[in-house]
PDB file of all heavy atoms in Angstrom:
ATOM      1  N   CYS A  23      -5.116  -3.326   4.407  1.00 91.00           N
ATOM      2  CA  CYS A  23      -4.997  -1.869   4.239  1.00 91.00           C
ATOM      3  C   CYS A  23      -4.248  -1.261   5.421  1.00 91.00           C
ATOM      4  O   CYS A  23      -3.335  -0.450   5.240  1.00 91.00           O
ATOM      5  CB  CYS A  23      -6.378  -1.215   4.129  1.00 91.00           C
ATOM      6  SG  CYS A  23      -7.236  -1.504   2.581  1.00 91.00           S
ATOM      7  N   VAL A  24      -4.632  -1.657   6.615  1.00 91.00           N
ATOM      8  CA  VAL A  24      -3.963  -1.153   7.818  1.00 91.00           C
ATOM      9  C   VAL A  24      -2.510  -1.597   7.827  1.00 91.00           C
ATOM     10  O   VAL A  24      -1.605  -0.805   8.132  1.00 91.00           O
ATOM     11  CB  VAL A  24      -4.709  -1.616   9.088  1.00 91.00           C
ATOM     12  CG1 VAL A  24      -3.945  -1.222  10.341  1.00 91.00           C
ATOM     13  CG2 VAL A  24      -6.126  -1.044   9.114  1.00 91.00           C
ATOM     14  N   GLU A  25      -2.252  -2.848   7.469  1.00 89.00           N
ATOM     15  CA  GLU A  25      -0.888  -3.360   7.393  1.00 89.00           C
ATOM     16  C   GLU A  25      -0.044  -2.534   6.426  1.00 89.00           C
ATOM     17  O   GLU A  25       1.098  -2.169   6.723  1.00 89.00           O
ATOM     18  CB  GLU A  25      -0.927  -4.825   6.947  1.00 89.00           C
ATOM     19  CG  GLU A  25       0.407  -5.495   6.844  1.00 89.00           C
ATOM     20  CD  GLU A  25       0.282  -6.922   6.334  1.00 89.00           C
ATOM     21  OE1 GLU A  25      -0.765  -7.570   6.552  1.00 89.00           O
ATOM     22  OE2 GLU A  25       1.258  -7.402   5.707  1.00 89.00           O
ATOM     23  N   ALA A  26      -0.600  -2.215   5.273  1.00 91.00           N
ATOM     24  CA  ALA A  26       0.119  -1.413   4.285  1.00 91.00           C
ATOM     25  C   ALA A  26       0.405  -0.012   4.813  1.00 91.00           C
ATOM     26  O   ALA A  26       1.517   0.506   4.671  1.00 91.00           O
ATOM     27  CB  ALA A  26      -0.679  -1.337   2.987  1.00 91.00           C
ATOM     28  N   ILE A  27      -0.590   0.625   5.413  1.00 92.00           N
ATOM     29  CA  ILE A  27      -0.406   1.971   5.957  1.00 92.00           C
ATOM     30  C   ILE A  27       0.665   1.968   7.035  1.00 92.00           C
ATOM     31  O   ILE A  27       1.505   2.872   7.099  1.00 92.00           O
ATOM     32  CB  ILE A  27      -1.744   2.535   6.467  1.00 92.00           C
ATOM     33  CG1 ILE A  27      -2.666   2.829   5.271  1.00 92.00           C
ATOM     34  CG2 ILE A  27      -1.533   3.768   7.326  1.00 92.00           C
ATOM     35  CD1 ILE A  27      -4.098   3.120   5.647  1.00 92.00           C
ATOM     36  N   GLU A  28       0.668   0.950   7.869  1.00 91.00           N
ATOM     37  CA  GLU A  28       1.661   0.872   8.941  1.00 91.00           C
ATOM     38  C   GLU A  28       3.056   0.542   8.415  1.00 91.00           C
ATOM     39  O   GLU A  28       4.032   0.679   9.145  1.00 91.00           O
ATOM     40  CB  GLU A  28       1.204  -0.135   9.990  1.00 91.00           C
ATOM     41  CG  GLU A  28      -0.016   0.383  10.760  1.00 91.00           C
ATOM     42  CD  GLU A  28      -0.605  -0.611  11.740  1.00 91.00           C
ATOM     43  OE1 GLU A  28      -0.266  -1.816  11.683  1.00 91.00           O
ATOM     44  OE2 GLU A  28      -1.423  -0.172  12.568  1.00 91.00           O
ATOM     45  N   ASN A  29       3.175   0.152   7.150  1.00 88.00           N
ATOM     46  CA  ASN A  29       4.464  -0.179   6.546  1.00 88.00           C
ATOM     47  C   ASN A  29       5.054   0.973   5.738  1.00 88.00           C
ATOM     48  O   ASN A  29       6.121   0.830   5.156  1.00 88.00           O
ATOM     49  CB  ASN A  29       4.304  -1.415   5.637  1.00 88.00           C
ATOM     50  CG  ASN A  29       5.632  -1.919   5.128  1.00 88.00           C
ATOM     51  OD1 ASN A  29       6.588  -2.071   5.880  1.00 88.00           O
ATOM     52  ND2 ASN A  29       5.706  -2.167   3.833  1.00 88.00           N
ATOM     53  N   ILE A  30       4.416   2.123   5.710  1.00 87.00           N
ATOM     54  CA  ILE A  30       4.863   3.193   4.813  1.00 87.00           C
ATOM     55  C   ILE A  30       6.266   3.694   5.116  1.00 87.00           C
ATOM     56  O   ILE A  30       6.931   4.216   4.227  1.00 87.00           O
ATOM     57  CB  ILE A  30       3.875   4.375   4.783  1.00 87.00           C
ATOM     58  CG1 ILE A  30       3.682   4.936   6.179  1.00 87.00           C
ATOM     59  CG2 ILE A  30       2.574   3.974   4.145  1.00 87.00           C
ATOM     60  CD1 ILE A  30       2.925   6.229   6.215  1.00 87.00           C
ATOM     61  N   GLY A  31       6.742   3.519   6.330  1.00 86.00           N
ATOM     62  CA  GLY A  31       8.104   3.928   6.666  1.00 86.00           C
ATOM     63  C   GLY A  31       9.163   3.091   5.983  1.00 86.00           C
ATOM     64  O   GLY A  31      10.335   3.462   5.947  1.00 86.00           O
ATOM     65  N   ASN A  32       8.761   1.962   5.420  1.00 87.00           N
ATOM     66  CA  ASN A  32       9.702   1.028   4.813  1.00 87.00           C
ATOM     67  C   ASN A  32       9.666   1.002   3.289  1.00 87.00           C
ATOM     68  O   ASN A  32      10.294   0.140   2.682  1.00 87.00           O
ATOM     69  CB  ASN A  32       9.422  -0.393   5.329  1.00 87.00           C
ATOM     70  CG  ASN A  32       9.587  -0.486   6.815  1.00 87.00           C
ATOM     71  OD1 ASN A  32      10.524   0.039   7.389  1.00 87.00           O
ATOM     72  ND2 ASN A  32       8.644  -1.157   7.458  1.00 87.00           N
ATOM     73  N   ILE A  33       8.930   1.924   2.667  1.00 83.00           N
ATOM     74  CA  ILE A  33       8.812   1.881   1.207  1.00 83.00           C
ATOM     75  C   ILE A  33       9.277   3.191   0.577  1.00 83.00           C
ATOM     76  O   ILE A  33       9.315   4.229   1.234  1.00 83.00           O
ATOM     77  CB  ILE A  33       7.364   1.555   0.756  1.00 83.00           C
ATOM     78  CG1 ILE A  33       6.399   2.684   1.139  1.00 83.00           C
ATOM     79  CG2 ILE A  33       6.912   0.227   1.329  1.00 83.00           C
ATOM     80  CD1 ILE A  33       5.005   2.522   0.550  1.00 83.00           C
ATOM     81  N   GLN A  34       9.616   3.112  -0.690  1.00 82.00           N
ATOM     82  CA  GLN A  34      10.020   4.283  -1.451  1.00 82.00           C
ATOM     83  C   GLN A  34       8.780   4.972  -2.021  1.00 82.00           C
ATOM     84  O   GLN A  34       7.838   4.299  -2.445  1.00 82.00           O
ATOM     85  CB  GLN A  34      10.944   3.884  -2.598  1.00 82.00           C
ATOM     86  CG  GLN A  34      12.264   3.315  -2.143  1.00 82.00           C
ATOM     87  CD  GLN A  34      13.085   4.335  -1.377  1.00 82.00           C
ATOM     88  OE1 GLN A  34      13.186   5.486  -1.771  1.00 82.00           O
ATOM     89  NE2 GLN A  34      13.661   3.903  -0.265  1.00 82.00           N
ATOM     90  N   PRO A  35       8.767   6.296  -2.078  1.00 81.00           N
ATOM     91  CA  PRO A  35       7.623   7.008  -2.669  1.00 81.00           C
ATOM     92  C   PRO A  35       7.400   6.650  -4.133  1.00 81.00           C
ATOM     93  O   PRO A  35       8.343   6.376  -4.865  1.00 81.00           O
ATOM     94  CB  PRO A  35       8.010   8.482  -2.532  1.00 81.00           C
ATOM     95  CG  PRO A  35       9.050   8.519  -1.467  1.00 81.00           C
ATOM     96  CD  PRO A  35       9.771   7.207  -1.545  1.00 81.00           C
ATOM     97  N   ASN A  36       6.133   6.630  -4.515  1.00 79.00           N
ATOM     98  CA  ASN A  36       5.681   6.470  -5.893  1.00 79.00           C
ATOM     99  C   ASN A  36       6.061   5.141  -6.549  1.00 79.00           C
ATOM    100  O   ASN A  36       6.097   5.048  -7.766  1.00 79.00           O
ATOM    101  CB  ASN A  36       6.135   7.649  -6.747  1.00 79.00           C
ATOM    102  CG  ASN A  36       5.559   8.953  -6.220  1.00 79.00           C
ATOM    103  OD1 ASN A  36       4.382   9.030  -5.876  1.00 79.00           O
ATOM    104  ND2 ASN A  36       6.388   9.974  -6.124  1.00 79.00           N
ATOM    105  N   ALA A  37       6.337   4.119  -5.752  1.00 84.00           N
ATOM    106  CA  ALA A  37       6.559   2.767  -6.261  1.00 84.00           C
ATOM    107  C   ALA A  37       5.483   1.866  -5.656  1.00 84.00           C
ATOM    108  O   ALA A  37       5.249   1.903  -4.447  1.00 84.00           O
ATOM    109  CB  ALA A  37       7.937   2.261  -5.870  1.00 84.00           C
ATOM    110  N   PHE A  38       4.811   1.084  -6.497  1.00 86.00           N
ATOM    111  CA  PHE A  38       3.747   0.219  -6.000  1.00 86.00           C
ATOM    112  C   PHE A  38       4.311  -0.992  -5.279  1.00 86.00           C
ATOM    113  O   PHE A  38       5.318  -1.566  -5.688  1.00 86.00           O
ATOM    114  CB  PHE A  38       2.833  -0.241  -7.144  1.00 86.00           C
ATOM    115  CG  PHE A  38       1.689   0.705  -7.392  1.00 86.00           C
ATOM    116  CD1 PHE A  38       1.751   1.621  -8.406  1.00 86.00           C
ATOM    117  CD2 PHE A  38       0.554   0.675  -6.588  1.00 86.00           C
ATOM    118  CE1 PHE A  38       0.704   2.492  -8.646  1.00 86.00           C
ATOM    119  CE2 PHE A  38      -0.499   1.544  -6.805  1.00 86.00           C
ATOM    120  CZ  PHE A  38      -0.433   2.456  -7.839  1.00 86.00           C
ATOM    121  N   HIS A  39       3.632  -1.378  -4.208  1.00 87.00           N
ATOM    122  CA  HIS A  39       3.942  -2.564  -3.422  1.00 87.00           C
ATOM    123  C   HIS A  39       2.642  -3.339  -3.266  1.00 87.00           C
ATOM    124  O   HIS A  39       1.566  -2.804  -3.507  1.00 87.00           O
ATOM    125  CB  HIS A  39       4.495  -2.167  -2.048  1.00 87.00           C
ATOM    126  CG  HIS A  39       5.743  -1.355  -2.144  1.00 87.00           C
ATOM    127  ND1 HIS A  39       6.993  -1.907  -2.149  1.00 87.00           N
ATOM    128  CD2 HIS A  39       5.919  -0.020  -2.265  1.00 87.00           C
ATOM    129  CE1 HIS A  39       7.890  -0.958  -2.260  1.00 87.00           C
ATOM    130  NE2 HIS A  39       7.278   0.201  -2.334  1.00 87.00           N
ATOM    131  N   SER A  40       2.728  -4.589  -2.837  1.00 84.00           N
ATOM    132  CA  SER A  40       1.498  -5.348  -2.649  1.00 84.00           C
ATOM    133  C   SER A  40       1.529  -6.109  -1.337  1.00 84.00           C
ATOM    134  O   SER A  40       2.593  -6.400  -0.795  1.00 84.00           O
ATOM    135  CB  SER A  40       1.269  -6.317  -3.809  1.00 84.00           C
ATOM    136  OG  SER A  40       2.252  -7.320  -3.822  1.00 84.00           O
ATOM    137  N   VAL A  41       0.322  -6.398  -0.856  1.00 79.00           N
ATOM    138  CA  VAL A  41       0.127  -7.253   0.299  1.00 79.00           C
ATOM    139  C   VAL A  41      -0.838  -8.331  -0.163  1.00 79.00           C
ATOM    140  O   VAL A  41      -2.007  -8.054  -0.432  1.00 79.00           O
ATOM    141  CB  VAL A  41      -0.475  -6.490   1.508  1.00 79.00           C
ATOM    142  CG1 VAL A  41      -0.698  -7.431   2.676  1.00 79.00           C
ATOM    143  CG2 VAL A  41       0.406  -5.323   1.914  1.00 79.00           C
ATOM    144  N   GLY A  42      -0.338  -9.540  -0.324  1.00 74.00           N
ATOM    145  CA  GLY A  42      -1.184 -10.601  -0.839  1.00 74.00           C
ATOM    146  C   GLY A  42      -1.628 -10.295  -2.256  1.00 74.00           C
ATOM    147  O   GLY A  42      -0.998  -9.533  -2.981  1.00 74.00           O
TER     148      GLY A  42
END
Side-chain angles (χ1 to χ4, degrees):
C23 287
V24 174
E25 181 183 332
I27 290 168
E28 291 175 346
N29 188 47
I30 58 170
N32 299 317
I33 66 172
Q34 295 296 316
N36 299 316
F38 271 99
H39 300 269
S40 67
V41 178

